């Protein structure tokens, strides 16, 4: 299957690549130490304002910290949670969904019931309970993303595997006495790659939001700058420094939209010609 | 649809509820960290600590603790809050009405706007209403709920002070109520000024919850209505001389409602779960905020209580959605 390039794929993929680069190069890109407070430079406006300070391109927050540097360093926790969280939720969810769909019977019943149980918790409730149990921090956020997201992977993969299980090529492989594991990973999984990729980028967008929300309510690490933290800081000082909260919100929104775009592009690129 | 169908579906939900209890128990008891350590002060002696552990059953082996917990739940005993020193079930039930009123307001807001938008898009097809509904629902769904809530606070409370940004009611008038269903009570007892005060507090959180649901309802209803418009019965309605409006409302709409409810049903459950986040952002004193406080204080009995109540609500809501298909579709009702 040859991937076909399209505009959403280029825009989304390019945007996510830029995000990755910014995250990797944060120490060199950020003009200031993101934690350094300058109490003589509180709530400085961004570059287009007359009262700007050229040292702070996007202005400063209420503690006089450079906003641009905080946003650049904030890419790191967002990407870390996104990659680690969705690897966990995608890995566990897809594996369980594949096994449940292929084996059926008690394995399917067990996985399906567990999915049902997990889906009877509101997602934010799971995250808050987890934070209460293991305390705030990045690990909590990553685990929360995994706990919230794995059910969606499991459900989709199970349904797709059920469909594929009865296809001729799988039956042929069975007749040739190919082992279950090889059928699952050699025959069925490659056919699910397009849908898995689209699902992954969608879940990555969700992971960014979960990270932002947990940082906003103070359940992420407080030692590093996060977008959610910037939003929380800026909320109380909106009237004096509206640029703090809005720039944090803009970062969250932009990355979610880029990931959705990427998912849309991936879906289009991997669709077969007859569809 | 008979009572036995409802009962059977309720019984089917029991294993799910058991799983919920098990997961909550495992999450909160087996992991390291001890609620007692939150309660002791520097002056507590080891004897005090041992007595507290006994009082909360924490000196028993884990399986025994689970059995004791299940038995207590069956008696309706959710334990005692560690920080508030009150019966958890009482505390949770006191907060539940606030969350229910918020969810219900959001639901009503979402269904009315979503349905009107969907109908308008089809009634004025290929004119500006259709484009407007399409565009608005795309924007509504692209922006996460968390950001919608913040946008609403910043736009309609801070920049333009139209609505209060937090709370449920002005504390001065809160004493006027006898029940926890403030909005319902103010409507039943015909006190419009109280209802208006409550609604002004509810407006922004309810809107934040309603936006995604309204967008989904509008989209699905529009697609379903267009599908219904292609059916022969619509041609017949036209031949009979029905006006386009009457044909749309009397023939297309009832048929389009079934797929709409199927899709929206899932979203209604998400709306209830969304109250947790929205309550935090708007400092709305419902279950979500209570859960947050309990999490910060590691008040395990309260966390368990709120989680159980939410899960029961989820299961009941799912059941209600299932049963509503039957109500809307005579073919299922008779089967």
């Amino acid at each position: 299957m040859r991937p076909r390039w399209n505009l959403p794929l280029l825009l989304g993929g390019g945007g996510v690549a830029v995000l990755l680069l910014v995250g990797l190069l944060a120490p060199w890109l950020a003009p200031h130490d993101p934690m350094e407070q300058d109490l003589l430079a509180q709530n400085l406006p961004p570059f287009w304002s007359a009262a700007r300070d050229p040292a702070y391109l996007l202005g400063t927050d209420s503690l006089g910290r450079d906003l641009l540097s905080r946003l650049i360093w904030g890419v790191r926790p967002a990407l870390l949670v996104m990659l680690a969280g969705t690897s966990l939720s995608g890995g566990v969810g897809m594996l369980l969904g594949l096994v449940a769909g292929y084996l059926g019977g008690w394995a399917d019943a067990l996985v399906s019931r567990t999915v049902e149980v997990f889906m009877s918790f509101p997602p934010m409730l799971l995250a808050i309970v987890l934070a209460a149990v293991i305390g705030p921090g990045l690990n909590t956020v990553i685990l929360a993303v995994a706990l919230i997201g794995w059910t969606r992977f499991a459900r989709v993969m199970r349904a797709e595997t059920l469909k594929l299980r009865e296809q001729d090529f799988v039956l042929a492989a069975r007749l040739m006495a190919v082992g279950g594991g090889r059928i699952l990973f050699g025959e069925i999984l490659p056919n699910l790659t397009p849908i898995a990729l689209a699902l992954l980028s969608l879940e990555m967008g969700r992971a960014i939001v979960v990270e932002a929300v947990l940082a906003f309510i103070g359940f992420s690490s407080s030692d590093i700058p996060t977008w959610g933290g910037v939003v929380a800081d800026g909320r109380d000082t909106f009237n004096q420094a509206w640029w703090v909260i809005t720039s944090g919100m803009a970062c969250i929104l932009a990355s979610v939209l880029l990931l959705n775009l990427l998912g849309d592009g991936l879906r289009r690129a991997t669709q077969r010609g007859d569809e | 649809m008979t009572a036995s169908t409802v009962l059977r579906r309720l019984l089917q939900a029991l294993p799910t509820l058991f799983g919920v209890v098990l997961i909550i128990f495992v999450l909160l008891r087996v992991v390291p960290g001890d609620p007692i350590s939150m309660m002791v002060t520097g002056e507590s002696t080891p004897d005090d600590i041992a007595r507290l552990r006994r009082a909360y059953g924490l000196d028993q082996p884990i399986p025994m603790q689970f059995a004791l917990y299940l038995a207590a739940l069956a008696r309706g005993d959710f334990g005692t809050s560690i920080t508030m020193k009150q019966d958890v079930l009482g505390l949770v039930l006191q907060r539940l009405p606030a969350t229910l009123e918020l969810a219900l307001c959001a639901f009503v807001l979402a269904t009315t706007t979503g349905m009107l938008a969907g109908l308008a898009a089809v009634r004025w097809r290929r004119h500006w209403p259709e484009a407007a509904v399409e565009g608005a629902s795309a924007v509504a769904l692209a922006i996460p709920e968390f950001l919608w809530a913040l946008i609403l606070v910043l736009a309609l409370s801070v920049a333009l002070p139209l609505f209060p940004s937090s709370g449920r009611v002005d504390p001065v008038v809160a004493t006027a109520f006898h029940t926890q269903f403030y909005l319902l009570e103010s409507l039943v007892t015909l006190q419009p000024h109280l209802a208006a005060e409550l609604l002004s507090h509810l407006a922004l959180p309810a809107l934040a919850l309603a936006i995604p649901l309204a967008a989904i309802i509008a989209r699905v209803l529009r697609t379903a209505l267009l599908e219904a418009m292609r059916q022969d019965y619509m041609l017949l309605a036209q031949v009979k001389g029905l006006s386009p409006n009457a044909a749309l409302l009397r023939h297309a709409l009832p048929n389009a409602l079934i797929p709409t409810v199927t899709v929206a049903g899932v979203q209604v459950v998400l709306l209830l779960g969304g109250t947790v986040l929205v309550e935090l952002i708007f400092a709305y004193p419902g279950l979500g905020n209570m859960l947050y406080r309990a999490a910060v204080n590691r008040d395990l009995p309260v966390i368990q209580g709120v989680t159980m109540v939410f899960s029961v609500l989820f299961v009941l809501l799912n059941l209600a959605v299932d049963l509503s298909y039957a109500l809307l579709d005579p073919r299922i009702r008779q089967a």
Side-chain angles (χ1 to χ4, degrees), chain B residues 18-30:
Chain B
F18 180 80
V20 166
V21 177
L22 185 65
I23 285 179
I24 288 302
F25 183 83
V26 169
L27 262 179
L28 295 183
R29 291 285 171 86
V30 180

Side-chain angles (χ1 to χ4, degrees), chain A:
Chain A
M1 196 165 17
R2 218 170 65 85
R4 278 164 303 170
W5 293 100
N6 56 58
L7 193 61
L9 184 63
L10 287 174
L11 284 177
V16 173
V18 169
L19 266 185
L20 280 170
L21 268 180
V22 171
L24 279 175
L25 302 177
W28 295 278
L29 287 177
H32 293 267
D33 176 349
M35 304 305 276
E36 186 192 288
Q37 302 182 4
D38 180 356
L39 295 178
L40 295 173
Q42 291 170 338
N43 293 335
L44 284 178
F47 62 88
W48 58 78
S49 162
R52 68 182 179 269
D53 180 335
Y56 303 105
L57 202 57
L58 285 185
T60 57
D61 66 8
S62 59
L63 294 174
R65 295 174 296 195
D66 178 44
L67 194 55
L68 180 63
S69 305
R70 290 182 74 71
L71 293 176
I72 289 176
W73 279 89
V75 173
R76 287 194 160 187
L79 288 187
L80 180 70
V81 167
M82 176 189 104
L83 293 174
T86 47
S87 309
L88 263 178
S89 62
V92 172
M94 286 199 259
L95 185 68
L96 288 178
L98 275 171
V99 170
Y102 186 68
L103 291 183
W106 63 265
D108 185 21
L110 187 67
V111 171
S112 299
R113 290 296 89 73
T114 315
V115 166
E116 261 171 49
V117 169
F118 269 86
M119 292 189 70
S120 33
F121 297 108
M124 269 311 290
L125 183 145
L126 269 182
I128 293 177
V129 171
L130 200 67
V133 170
I134 55 179
L138 269 184
N139 289 340
T140 307
V141 181
I142 292 170
L143 269 180
V145 168
L147 270 185
I148 292 172
W150 77 272
T151 50
R152 281 188 283 262
F153 284 103
R155 269 158 58 108
V156 173
M157 284 298 139
R158 174 184 169 271
E160 295 296 318
T161 311
L162 272 179
K163 273 189 250 164
L164 284 178
R165 189 173 69 171
E166 308 303 328
Q167 301 267 320
D168 289 341
F169 67 90
V170 176
L171 296 178
R174 269 206 215 147
L175 283 178
M176 294 192 304
V178 177
R182 273 187 60 199
I183 293 182
L184 212 49
F185 295 104
E187 306 285 334
I188 291 181
L189 190 59
N191 282 287
L192 295 179
T193 314
I195 194 163
L197 281 178
L199 199 57
L200 259 176
S201 48
L202 206 67
E203 288 298 321
M204 285 180 170
R206 287 204 170 104
I208 297 237
V209 177
V210 171
E211 194 266 336
V213 169
L214 289 180
F216 176 77
I217 63 176
F219 281 166
S220 182
S221 170
S222 52
D223 309 330
I224 47 168
T226 54
W227 292 341
V230 170
V231 170
D233 292 338
R235 193 186 161 176
D236 302 325
T237 57
F238 179 75
N239 283 323
Q240 301 94 52
W242 58 269
W243 49 88
V244 178
I245 184 169
T246 41
S247 63
M249 287 165 66
C251 286
I252 301 167
L253 183 61
S255 44
V256 172
L257 292 182
L258 282 175
L259 283 161
N260 287 354
L261 216 53
L262 178 64
D264 190 36
L266 280 172
R267 199 173 41 78
R268 284 193 211 182
T270 49
Q271 248 168 16
R272 272 171 231 117
D274 52 299
E275 278 169 346

Side-chain angles (χ1 to χ4, degrees), chain B residues 101 105 164 168-179 181-203 284:
Chain B
E101 281 191 343
C105 277
R168 186 183 184 198
V169 70
D170 189 329
V172 179
V173 295
T175 50
F177 297 103
H178 303 284
T179 66
F181 287 95
Y182 290 178
L183 184 61
L184 190 71
E185 188 185 327
S186 67
L187 291 174
V188 169
T189 56
L190 300 175
Q191 302 186 70
H193 61 287
L194 281 182
E197 150 76 14
L198 285 163
L199 284 174
S200 76
H201 277 90
L202 271 171
Y284 184 85

Side-chain angles (χ1 to χ4, degrees), chain B residues 3-16:
Chain B
S4 71
T5 323
V6 180
L7 196 68
R8 200 183 63 236
R9 291 282 288 105
L10 268 175
L11 285 177
Q12 280 170 356
L14 278 181
T16 311

Side-chain angles (χ1 to χ4, degrees), chain B residues 171-249:
Chain B
V172 179
V173 295
T175 50
F177 297 103
H178 303 284
T179 66
Q180 290 296 320
F181 287 95
Y182 290 178
L183 184 61
L184 190 71
E185 188 185 327
S186 67
L187 291 174
V188 169
T189 56
L190 300 175
Q191 302 186 70
H193 61 287
L194 281 182
E197 150 76 14
L198 285 163
L199 284 174
S200 76
H201 277 90
L202 271 171
L204 295 184
L207 198 56
L209 281 172
I211 285 173
L213 180 61
I216 288 173
I217 291 177
R219 280 193 159 184
V220 180
L221 184 64
R222 174 179 161 274
T223 318
L225 279 173
L226 290 177
E227 171 68 28
M229 302 282 266
R230 281 196 292 272
Q231 304 298 315
D232 290 342
Y233 54 74
M234 290 304 285
L235 193 62
L236 181 68
Q238 206 184 341
V239 170
K240 281 198 308 189
L242 245 62
S243 73
N245 285 337
L248 185 67
L249 292 177

Side-chain angles (χ1 to χ4, degrees), chain B residues 38-54:
Chain B
M38 291 292 297
M39 304 163 64
V40 294
T41 56
E43 292 144 32
S44 306
T45 63
D47 269 0
D48 292 340
I49 295 173
R51 206 167 50 244
L52 275 172
R53 292 186 67 83
R54 255 199 314 283

